[in-house]
Amino acid sequence: MKLSTYLMFDGNCREAFTLYQTVLGGKLTAMMDHRGTPAEAHVSPDWVDKILHACLEIEGQMLMASDAPPDRSDGPMRSVSVSVNVPEIAEAERIFAALSEGATVQMPMAETFWSPRFGMLRDRFGTNWMVGADMPAEQANCG
């Protein structure tokens, strides 16, 4: 079984995923808009260039998304966070700083009892992020 995160944007999925690829790396394996697909007939003309499906593959994991037409959405992400954990503190801080531009920081990057660096934010696209550095193996206790 594989579990993947699927995000719903309100029209800025292309911009968000372009940034996410720059910040997180990986490969955009899909960035398909409605134009020219059977779905084009089911969206308003001003929505045909919005994203029907996007996929960012990072080390065998997938972050997927689309733009949700206003008549089919209760708004962008609600009560969901994408959690990113990396081995190095410097990398966690870099990712957090890059995602912080125009964001609402809910918990600044700091040392916690579970991570040498951890922070939470809602980026300018409405995506909630939890960014952390892995605890060194000699300190980790996953029970």
PDB file of all heavy atoms in Angstrom, residues 106-140:
ATOM      1  N   GLN A 106       3.146  29.631  12.016  1.00  0.00           N
ATOM      2  CA  GLN A 106       2.380  29.244  13.204  1.00  0.00           C
ATOM      3  C   GLN A 106       3.291  28.832  14.348  1.00  0.00           C
ATOM      4  O   GLN A 106       2.946  29.002  15.505  1.00  0.00           O
ATOM      5  CB  GLN A 106       1.398  28.117  12.848  1.00  0.00           C
ATOM      6  CG  GLN A 106       0.333  28.596  11.891  1.00  0.00           C
ATOM      7  CD  GLN A 106       0.036  27.611  10.788  1.00  0.00           C
ATOM      8  OE1 GLN A 106       0.864  26.795  10.424  1.00  0.00           O
ATOM      9  NE2 GLN A 106      -1.152  27.709  10.231  1.00  0.00           N
ATOM     10  N   MET A 107       4.462  28.277  14.003  1.00  0.00           N
ATOM     11  CA  MET A 107       5.454  27.890  15.004  1.00  0.00           C
ATOM     12  C   MET A 107       6.821  28.091  14.364  1.00  0.00           C
ATOM     13  O   MET A 107       7.192  27.359  13.446  1.00  0.00           O
ATOM     14  CB  MET A 107       5.262  26.425  15.406  1.00  0.00           C
ATOM     15  CG  MET A 107       6.220  25.938  16.449  1.00  0.00           C
ATOM     16  SD  MET A 107       5.832  24.208  16.849  1.00  0.00           S
ATOM     17  CE  MET A 107       7.218  23.847  17.911  1.00  0.00           C
ATOM     18  N   PRO A 108       7.569  29.097  14.813  1.00  0.00           N
ATOM     19  CA  PRO A 108       8.893  29.327  14.227  1.00  0.00           C
ATOM     20  C   PRO A 108       9.801  28.116  14.419  1.00  0.00           C
ATOM     21  O   PRO A 108       9.620  27.339  15.359  1.00  0.00           O
ATOM     22  CB  PRO A 108       9.433  30.526  15.009  1.00  0.00           C
ATOM     23  CG  PRO A 108       8.238  31.160  15.651  1.00  0.00           C
ATOM     24  CD  PRO A 108       7.237  30.052  15.860  1.00  0.00           C
ATOM     25  N   MET A 109      10.788  27.995  13.548  1.00  0.00           N
ATOM     26  CA  MET A 109      11.767  26.916  13.674  1.00  0.00           C
ATOM     27  C   MET A 109      12.462  27.014  15.019  1.00  0.00           C
ATOM     28  O   MET A 109      12.946  28.081  15.396  1.00  0.00           O
ATOM     29  CB  MET A 109      12.820  27.013  12.584  1.00  0.00           C
ATOM     30  CG  MET A 109      12.429  26.381  11.271  1.00  0.00           C
ATOM     31  SD  MET A 109      12.156  24.632  11.446  1.00  0.00           S
ATOM     32  CE  MET A 109      13.252  24.018  10.226  1.00  0.00           C
ATOM     33  N   ALA A 110      12.488  25.904  15.742  1.00  0.00           N
ATOM     34  CA  ALA A 110      13.132  25.864  17.053  1.00  0.00           C
ATOM     35  C   ALA A 110      13.413  24.416  17.420  1.00  0.00           C
ATOM     36  O   ALA A 110      12.859  23.490  16.826  1.00  0.00           O
ATOM     37  CB  ALA A 110      12.225  26.494  18.106  1.00  0.00           C
ATOM     38  N   GLU A 111      14.241  24.240  18.411  1.00  0.00           N
ATOM     39  CA  GLU A 111      14.487  22.907  18.945  1.00  0.00           C
ATOM     40  C   GLU A 111      13.274  22.485  19.756  1.00  0.00           C
ATOM     41  O   GLU A 111      12.665  23.293  20.463  1.00  0.00           O
ATOM     42  CB  GLU A 111      15.728  22.917  19.833  1.00  0.00           C
ATOM     43  CG  GLU A 111      16.108  21.547  20.339  1.00  0.00           C
ATOM     44  CD  GLU A 111      17.413  21.544  21.118  1.00  0.00           C
ATOM     45  OE1 GLU A 111      18.116  22.566  21.132  1.00  0.00           O
ATOM     46  OE2 GLU A 111      17.711  20.492  21.706  1.00  0.00           O
ATOM     47  N   THR A 112      12.890  21.231  19.626  1.00  0.00           N
ATOM     48  CA  THR A 112      11.783  20.672  20.404  1.00  0.00           C
ATOM     49  C   THR A 112      12.279  19.389  21.063  1.00  0.00           C
ATOM     50  O   THR A 112      13.392  18.934  20.785  1.00  0.00           O
ATOM     51  CB  THR A 112      10.575  20.328  19.506  1.00  0.00           C
ATOM     52  OG1 THR A 112      10.963  19.276  18.613  1.00  0.00           O
ATOM     53  CG2 THR A 112      10.095  21.544  18.717  1.00  0.00           C
ATOM     54  N   PHE A 113      11.452  18.779  21.865  1.00  0.00           N
ATOM     55  CA  PHE A 113      11.870  17.524  22.490  1.00  0.00           C
ATOM     56  C   PHE A 113      11.887  16.369  21.500  1.00  0.00           C
ATOM     57  O   PHE A 113      12.492  15.347  21.752  1.00  0.00           O
ATOM     58  CB  PHE A 113      11.011  17.197  23.721  1.00  0.00           C
ATOM     59  CG  PHE A 113       9.577  16.874  23.413  1.00  0.00           C
ATOM     60  CD1 PHE A 113       9.188  15.567  23.137  1.00  0.00           C
ATOM     61  CD2 PHE A 113       8.611  17.864  23.414  1.00  0.00           C
ATOM     62  CE1 PHE A 113       7.867  15.266  22.859  1.00  0.00           C
ATOM     63  CE2 PHE A 113       7.287  17.573  23.146  1.00  0.00           C
ATOM     64  CZ  PHE A 113       6.907  16.268  22.864  1.00  0.00           C
ATOM     65  N   TRP A 114      11.246  16.525  20.324  1.00  0.00           N
ATOM     66  CA  TRP A 114      11.222  15.450  19.335  1.00  0.00           C
ATOM     67  C   TRP A 114      12.096  15.736  18.118  1.00  0.00           C
ATOM     68  O   TRP A 114      12.278  14.864  17.276  1.00  0.00           O
ATOM     69  CB  TRP A 114       9.789  15.163  18.861  1.00  0.00           C
ATOM     70  CG  TRP A 114       9.165  16.274  18.055  1.00  0.00           C
ATOM     71  CD1 TRP A 114       9.266  16.456  16.701  1.00  0.00           C
ATOM     72  CD2 TRP A 114       8.363  17.335  18.540  1.00  0.00           C
ATOM     73  NE1 TRP A 114       8.584  17.573  16.323  1.00  0.00           N
ATOM     74  CE2 TRP A 114       8.002  18.133  17.451  1.00  0.00           C
ATOM     75  CE3 TRP A 114       7.885  17.701  19.798  1.00  0.00           C
ATOM     76  CZ2 TRP A 114       7.217  19.262  17.568  1.00  0.00           C
ATOM     77  CZ3 TRP A 114       7.087  18.825  19.907  1.00  0.00           C
ATOM     78  CH2 TRP A 114       6.765  19.591  18.804  1.00  0.00           C
ATOM     79  N   SER A 115      12.626  16.950  18.006  1.00  0.00           N
ATOM     80  CA  SER A 115      13.396  17.300  16.818  1.00  0.00           C
ATOM     81  C   SER A 115      14.402  18.411  17.146  1.00  0.00           C
ATOM     82  O   SER A 115      14.073  19.327  17.896  1.00  0.00           O
ATOM     83  CB  SER A 115      12.447  17.793  15.717  1.00  0.00           C
ATOM     84  OG  SER A 115      13.155  18.264  14.595  1.00  0.00           O
ATOM     85  N   PRO A 116      15.603  18.318  16.560  1.00  0.00           N
ATOM     86  CA  PRO A 116      16.553  19.406  16.785  1.00  0.00           C
ATOM     87  C   PRO A 116      16.107  20.719  16.138  1.00  0.00           C
ATOM     88  O   PRO A 116      16.530  21.784  16.539  1.00  0.00           O
ATOM     89  CB  PRO A 116      17.855  18.894  16.179  1.00  0.00           C
ATOM     90  CG  PRO A 116      17.465  17.804  15.249  1.00  0.00           C
ATOM     91  CD  PRO A 116      16.176  17.240  15.760  1.00  0.00           C
ATOM     92  N   ARG A 117      15.207  20.658  15.130  1.00  0.00           N
ATOM     93  CA  ARG A 117      14.575  21.830  14.531  1.00  0.00           C
ATOM     94  C   ARG A 117      13.219  21.405  14.005  1.00  0.00           C
ATOM     95  O   ARG A 117      13.088  20.399  13.308  1.00  0.00           O
ATOM     96  CB  ARG A 117      15.361  22.384  13.345  1.00  0.00           C
ATOM     97  CG  ARG A 117      16.554  23.165  13.625  1.00  0.00           C
ATOM     98  CD  ARG A 117      16.310  24.452  14.423  1.00  0.00           C
ATOM     99  NE  ARG A 117      17.566  25.086  14.657  1.00  0.00           N
ATOM    100  CZ  ARG A 117      18.485  24.652  15.530  1.00  0.00           C
ATOM    101  NH1 ARG A 117      18.281  23.582  16.252  1.00  0.00           N
ATOM    102  NH2 ARG A 117      19.621  25.288  15.669  1.00  0.00           N
ATOM    103  N   PHE A 118      12.216  22.211  14.320  1.00  0.00           N
ATOM    104  CA  PHE A 118      10.864  21.939  13.849  1.00  0.00           C
ATOM    105  C   PHE A 118      10.120  23.258  13.757  1.00  0.00           C
ATOM    106  O   PHE A 118      10.274  24.125  14.616  1.00  0.00           O
ATOM    107  CB  PHE A 118      10.122  21.000  14.812  1.00  0.00           C
ATOM    108  CG  PHE A 118       8.712  20.694  14.394  1.00  0.00           C
ATOM    109  CD1 PHE A 118       8.457  19.697  13.468  1.00  0.00           C
ATOM    110  CD2 PHE A 118       7.651  21.426  14.902  1.00  0.00           C
ATOM    111  CE1 PHE A 118       7.163  19.425  13.066  1.00  0.00           C
ATOM    112  CE2 PHE A 118       6.355  21.161  14.512  1.00  0.00           C
ATOM    113  CZ  PHE A 118       6.107  20.151  13.584  1.00  0.00           C
ATOM    114  N   GLY A 119       9.306  23.403  12.726  1.00  0.00           N
ATOM    115  CA  GLY A 119       8.480  24.597  12.582  1.00  0.00           C
ATOM    116  C   GLY A 119       7.240  24.303  11.763  1.00  0.00           C
ATOM    117  O   GLY A 119       7.177  23.308  11.025  1.00  0.00           O
ATOM    118  N   MET A 120       6.237  25.163  11.916  1.00  0.00           N
ATOM    119  CA  MET A 120       4.963  25.000  11.192  1.00  0.00           C
ATOM    120  C   MET A 120       4.570  26.332  10.567  1.00  0.00           C
ATOM    121  O   MET A 120       4.751  27.396  11.171  1.00  0.00           O
ATOM    122  CB  MET A 120       3.866  24.536  12.146  1.00  0.00           C
ATOM    123  CG  MET A 120       4.113  23.165  12.717  1.00  0.00           C
ATOM    124  SD  MET A 120       2.995  22.656  14.070  1.00  0.00           S
ATOM    125  CE  MET A 120       1.413  23.204  13.560  1.00  0.00           C
ATOM    126  N   LEU A 121       3.999  26.254   9.363  1.00  0.00           N
ATOM    127  CA  LEU A 121       3.542  27.459   8.680  1.00  0.00           C
ATOM    128  C   LEU A 121       2.417  27.132   7.704  1.00  0.00           C
ATOM    129  O   LEU A 121       2.225  25.974   7.337  1.00  0.00           O
ATOM    130  CB  LEU A 121       4.704  28.130   7.947  1.00  0.00           C
ATOM    131  CG  LEU A 121       5.403  27.342   6.831  1.00  0.00           C
ATOM    132  CD1 LEU A 121       4.745  27.558   5.481  1.00  0.00           C
ATOM    133  CD2 LEU A 121       6.861  27.748   6.760  1.00  0.00           C
ATOM    134  N   ARG A 122       1.684  28.173   7.317  1.00  0.00           N
ATOM    135  CA  ARG A 122       0.719  28.081   6.211  1.00  0.00           C
ATOM    136  C   ARG A 122       1.279  28.969   5.115  1.00  0.00           C
ATOM    137  O   ARG A 122       1.416  30.176   5.294  1.00  0.00           O
ATOM    138  CB  ARG A 122      -0.670  28.569   6.617  1.00  0.00           C
ATOM    139  CG  ARG A 122      -1.650  28.547   5.421  1.00  0.00           C
ATOM    140  CD  ARG A 122      -3.082  28.893   5.795  1.00  0.00           C
ATOM    141  NE  ARG A 122      -3.594  27.840   6.657  1.00  0.00           N
ATOM    142  CZ  ARG A 122      -4.110  28.054   7.878  1.00  0.00           C
ATOM    143  NH1 ARG A 122      -4.212  29.276   8.362  1.00  0.00           N
ATOM    144  NH2 ARG A 122      -4.537  27.042   8.599  1.00  0.00           N
ATOM    145  N   ASP A 123       1.656  28.358   3.976  1.00  0.00           N
ATOM    146  CA  ASP A 123       2.305  29.128   2.920  1.00  0.00           C
ATOM    147  C   ASP A 123       1.314  30.042   2.199  1.00  0.00           C
ATOM    148  O   ASP A 123       0.118  30.029   2.476  1.00  0.00           O
ATOM    149  CB  ASP A 123       3.094  28.223   1.962  1.00  0.00           C
ATOM    150  CG  ASP A 123       2.242  27.389   1.015  1.00  0.00           C
ATOM    151  OD1 ASP A 123       1.051  27.687   0.796  1.00  0.00           O
ATOM    152  OD2 ASP A 123       2.795  26.404   0.471  1.00  0.00           O
ATOM    153  N   ARG A 124       1.827  30.842   1.291  1.00  0.00           N
ATOM    154  CA  ARG A 124       0.999  31.836   0.601  1.00  0.00           C
ATOM    155  C   ARG A 124      -0.074  31.211  -0.289  1.00  0.00           C
ATOM    156  O   ARG A 124      -0.972  31.905  -0.757  1.00  0.00           O
ATOM    157  CB  ARG A 124       1.887  32.790  -0.186  1.00  0.00           C
ATOM    158  CG  ARG A 124       2.618  32.148  -1.350  1.00  0.00           C
ATOM    159  CD  ARG A 124       3.474  33.197  -2.070  1.00  0.00           C
ATOM    160  NE  ARG A 124       4.034  32.699  -3.290  1.00  0.00           N
ATOM    161  CZ  ARG A 124       5.320  32.481  -3.482  1.00  0.00           C
ATOM    162  NH1 ARG A 124       6.183  32.713  -2.511  1.00  0.00           N
ATOM    163  NH2 ARG A 124       5.755  32.039  -4.639  1.00  0.00           N
ATOM    164  N   PHE A 125       0.010  29.905  -0.511  1.00  0.00           N
ATOM    165  CA  PHE A 125      -0.992  29.202  -1.310  1.00  0.00           C
ATOM    166  C   PHE A 125      -2.070  28.545  -0.440  1.00  0.00           C
ATOM    167  O   PHE A 125      -2.994  27.951  -0.944  1.00  0.00           O
ATOM    168  CB  PHE A 125      -0.317  28.132  -2.182  1.00  0.00           C
ATOM    169  CG  PHE A 125       0.808  28.679  -3.006  1.00  0.00           C
ATOM    170  CD1 PHE A 125       2.115  28.373  -2.683  1.00  0.00           C
ATOM    171  CD2 PHE A 125       0.571  29.517  -4.078  1.00  0.00           C
ATOM    172  CE1 PHE A 125       3.174  28.878  -3.433  1.00  0.00           C
ATOM    173  CE2 PHE A 125       1.622  30.036  -4.830  1.00  0.00           C
ATOM    174  CZ  PHE A 125       2.916  29.715  -4.500  1.00  0.00           C
ATOM    175  N   GLY A 126      -1.893  28.608   0.879  1.00  0.00           N
ATOM    176  CA  GLY A 126      -2.846  28.001   1.803  1.00  0.00           C
ATOM    177  C   GLY A 126      -2.462  26.612   2.278  1.00  0.00           C
ATOM    178  O   GLY A 126      -3.190  25.997   3.042  1.00  0.00           O
ATOM    179  N   THR A 127      -1.306  26.102   1.849  1.00  0.00           N
ATOM    180  CA  THR A 127      -0.864  24.781   2.275  1.00  0.00           C
ATOM    181  C   THR A 127      -0.205  24.871   3.645  1.00  0.00           C
ATOM    182  O   THR A 127       0.638  25.733   3.875  1.00  0.00           O
ATOM    183  CB  THR A 127       0.153  24.192   1.271  1.00  0.00           C
ATOM    184  OG1 THR A 127      -0.438  24.173  -0.029  1.00  0.00           O
ATOM    185  CG2 THR A 127       0.564  22.777   1.666  1.00  0.00           C
ATOM    186  N   ASN A 128      -0.609  23.985   4.544  1.00  0.00           N
ATOM    187  CA  ASN A 128      -0.003  23.897   5.863  1.00  0.00           C
ATOM    188  C   ASN A 128       1.190  22.955   5.791  1.00  0.00           C
ATOM    189  O   ASN A 128       1.085  21.860   5.242  1.00  0.00           O
ATOM    190  CB  ASN A 128      -1.015  23.355   6.881  1.00  0.00           C
ATOM    191  CG  ASN A 128      -2.171  24.300   7.076  1.00  0.00           C
ATOM    192  OD1 ASN A 128      -1.983  25.468   7.390  1.00  0.00           O
ATOM    193  ND2 ASN A 128      -3.375  23.808   6.867  1.00  0.00           N
ATOM    194  N   TRP A 129       2.313  23.391   6.366  1.00  0.00           N
ATOM    195  CA  TRP A 129       3.550  22.618   6.351  1.00  0.00           C
ATOM    196  C   TRP A 129       4.061  22.422   7.760  1.00  0.00           C
ATOM    197  O   TRP A 129       3.980  23.337   8.588  1.00  0.00           O
ATOM    198  CB  TRP A 129       4.641  23.352   5.557  1.00  0.00           C
ATOM    199  CG  TRP A 129       4.366  23.430   4.094  1.00  0.00           C
ATOM    200  CD1 TRP A 129       3.697  24.427   3.440  1.00  0.00           C
ATOM    201  CD2 TRP A 129       4.758  22.498   3.092  1.00  0.00           C
ATOM    202  NE1 TRP A 129       3.648  24.159   2.097  1.00  0.00           N
ATOM    203  CE2 TRP A 129       4.292  22.987   1.856  1.00  0.00           C
ATOM    204  CE3 TRP A 129       5.469  21.301   3.125  1.00  0.00           C
ATOM    205  CZ2 TRP A 129       4.518  22.310   0.660  1.00  0.00           C
ATOM    206  CZ3 TRP A 129       5.688  20.639   1.933  1.00  0.00           C
ATOM    207  CH2 TRP A 129       5.202  21.143   0.716  1.00  0.00           C
ATOM    208  N   MET A 130       4.602  21.237   8.029  1.00  0.00           N
ATOM    209  CA  MET A 130       5.337  20.918   9.245  1.00  0.00           C
ATOM    210  C   MET A 130       6.717  20.476   8.768  1.00  0.00           C
ATOM    211  O   MET A 130       6.840  19.469   8.059  1.00  0.00           O
ATOM    212  CB  MET A 130       4.641  19.795  10.015  1.00  0.00           C
ATOM    213  CG  MET A 130       3.263  20.203  10.492  1.00  0.00           C
ATOM    214  SD  MET A 130       2.174  18.864  11.066  1.00  0.00           S
ATOM    215  CE  MET A 130       3.217  17.828  12.011  1.00  0.00           C
ATOM    216  N   VAL A 131       7.749  21.242   9.113  1.00  0.00           N
ATOM    217  CA  VAL A 131       9.099  20.977   8.613  1.00  0.00           C
ATOM    218  C   VAL A 131       9.998  20.662   9.802  1.00  0.00           C
ATOM    219  O   VAL A 131      10.040  21.428  10.767  1.00  0.00           O
ATOM    220  CB  VAL A 131       9.653  22.197   7.838  1.00  0.00           C
ATOM    221  CG1 VAL A 131      11.063  21.910   7.331  1.00  0.00           C
ATOM    222  CG2 VAL A 131       8.729  22.573   6.682  1.00  0.00           C
ATOM    223  N   GLY A 132      10.700  19.537   9.707  1.00  0.00           N
ATOM    224  CA  GLY A 132      11.561  19.153  10.817  1.00  0.00           C
ATOM    225  C   GLY A 132      12.822  18.464  10.374  1.00  0.00           C
ATOM    226  O   GLY A 132      12.914  17.943   9.263  1.00  0.00           O
ATOM    227  N   ALA A 133      13.794  18.485  11.260  1.00  0.00           N
ATOM    228  CA  ALA A 133      15.034  17.737  11.073  1.00  0.00           C
ATOM    229  C   ALA A 133      14.938  16.476  11.915  1.00  0.00           C
ATOM    230  O   ALA A 133      14.389  16.500  13.027  1.00  0.00           O
ATOM    231  CB  ALA A 133      16.241  18.576  11.498  1.00  0.00           C
ATOM    232  N   ASP A 134      15.445  15.384  11.384  1.00  0.00           N
ATOM    233  CA  ASP A 134      15.402  14.120  12.108  1.00  0.00           C
ATOM    234  C   ASP A 134      16.252  14.193  13.367  1.00  0.00           C
ATOM    235  O   ASP A 134      17.320  14.802  13.380  1.00  0.00           O
ATOM    236  CB  ASP A 134      15.929  12.974  11.232  1.00  0.00           C
ATOM    237  CG  ASP A 134      15.035  12.710  10.035  1.00  0.00           C
ATOM    238  OD1 ASP A 134      13.833  13.057  10.076  1.00  0.00           O
ATOM    239  OD2 ASP A 134      15.549  12.148   9.037  1.00  0.00           O
ATOM    240  N   MET A 135      15.766  13.558  14.404  1.00  0.00           N
ATOM    241  CA  MET A 135      16.518  13.432  15.651  1.00  0.00           C
ATOM    242  C   MET A 135      17.694  12.486  15.401  1.00  0.00           C
ATOM    243  O   MET A 135      17.515  11.452  14.744  1.00  0.00           O
ATOM    244  CB  MET A 135      15.615  12.860  16.750  1.00  0.00           C
ATOM    245  CG  MET A 135      16.248  12.764  18.117  1.00  0.00           C
ATOM    246  SD  MET A 135      16.638  14.347  18.853  1.00  0.00           S
ATOM    247  CE  MET A 135      15.030  14.924  19.359  1.00  0.00           C
ATOM    248  N   PRO A 136      18.881  12.811  15.871  1.00  0.00           N
ATOM    249  CA  PRO A 136      20.007  11.879  15.715  1.00  0.00           C
ATOM    250  C   PRO A 136      19.644  10.503  16.285  1.00  0.00           C
ATOM    251  O   PRO A 136      18.943  10.410  17.291  1.00  0.00           O
ATOM    252  CB  PRO A 136      21.118  12.536  16.524  1.00  0.00           C
ATOM    253  CG  PRO A 136      20.753  13.993  16.558  1.00  0.00           C
ATOM    254  CD  PRO A 136      19.249  14.034  16.561  1.00  0.00           C
ATOM    255  N   ALA A 137      20.102   9.445  15.643  1.00  0.00           N
ATOM    256  CA  ALA A 137      19.732   8.065  15.997  1.00  0.00           C
ATOM    257  C   ALA A 137      19.986   7.774  17.469  1.00  0.00           C
ATOM    258  O   ALA A 137      19.171   7.084  18.114  1.00  0.00           O
ATOM    259  CB  ALA A 137      20.490   7.076  15.124  1.00  0.00           C
ATOM    260  N   GLU A 138      21.059   8.295  18.025  1.00  0.00           N
ATOM    261  CA  GLU A 138      21.371   7.991  19.412  1.00  0.00           C
ATOM    262  C   GLU A 138      20.389   8.653  20.393  1.00  0.00           C
ATOM    263  O   GLU A 138      20.302   8.278  21.561  1.00  0.00           O
ATOM    264  CB  GLU A 138      22.816   8.380  19.770  1.00  0.00           C
ATOM    265  CG  GLU A 138      23.137   9.863  19.656  1.00  0.00           C
ATOM    266  CD  GLU A 138      23.525  10.323  18.254  1.00  0.00           C
ATOM    267  OE1 GLU A 138      23.471   9.515  17.289  1.00  0.00           O
ATOM    268  OE2 GLU A 138      23.880  11.489  18.115  1.00  0.00           O
ATOM    269  N   GLN A 139      19.598   9.627  19.915  1.00  0.00           N
ATOM    270  CA  GLN A 139      18.622  10.302  20.776  1.00  0.00           C
ATOM    271  C   GLN A 139      17.182   9.879  20.484  1.00  0.00           C
ATOM    272  O   GLN A 139      16.303  10.147  21.249  1.00  0.00           O
ATOM    273  CB  GLN A 139      18.734  11.813  20.623  1.00  0.00           C
ATOM    274  CG  GLN A 139      20.047  12.365  21.106  1.00  0.00           C
ATOM    275  CD  GLN A 139      20.162  13.862  20.831  1.00  0.00           C
ATOM    276  OE1 GLN A 139      19.409  14.444  20.075  1.00  0.00           O
ATOM    277  NE2 GLN A 139      21.136  14.478  21.484  1.00  0.00           N
ATOM    278  N   ALA A 140      16.966   9.253  19.338  1.00  0.00           N
ATOM    279  CA  ALA A 140      15.612   8.898  18.915  1.00  0.00           C
ATOM    280  C   ALA A 140      15.081   7.747  19.759  1.00  0.00           C
ATOM    281  O   ALA A 140      15.789   6.818  20.107  1.00  0.00           O
ATOM    282  CB  ALA A 140      15.597   8.515  17.438  1.00  0.00           C
TER     283      ALA A 140
END
